[in-house]
Amino acid sequence: MTIAKKILLDELNENAHPEQVESVIFWALEHYANSEPKGTWGRTIAYAIKERISEAEKNDADSGAAGKK
């Protein structure tokens, strides 16, 4: 495991900041996906991860709403 991955996982587990760490990571991915030059791997990967999170959150919200009917 890389040092960066260890630190990110520690930060996610500790969540000792005024903002949720996962929210900050999501915002960073969103910014990167929208600001980097088109056609770069970084932008492509950031966009794919951001979309995967957004879709999973939408599906989770939809299934939660369906269970409340």
Side-chain angles (χ1 to χ4, degrees):
M1 183 181 307
T2 66
I3 292 171
K5 188 184 292 186
K6 287 179 187 177
I7 290 171
L8 284 170
L9 291 173
D10 284 345
E11 290 290 338
L12 285 164
N13 287 328
E14 291 170 9
N15 215 2
H17 300 283
E19 290 281 356
Q20 288 186 324
V21 174
E22 59 267 28
S23 293
V24 174
I25 293 170
F26 180 82
W27 298 330
L29 288 166
E30 189 171 47
H31 175 76
Y32 198 88
N34 293 329
S35 65
E36 287 303 299
K38 290 183 178 178
T40 63
W41 278 114
R43 182 178 176 153
T44 301
I45 293 166
Y47 180 82
I49 295 168
K50 177 190 76 77
E51 287 298 306
R52 185 175 170 194
I53 293 167
S54 295
E55 187 64 29
E57 287 178 343
K58 180 185 176 297
N59 290 339
D60 186 56
D62 290 348
S63 67
K68 293 180 183 178
K69 289 183 180 178

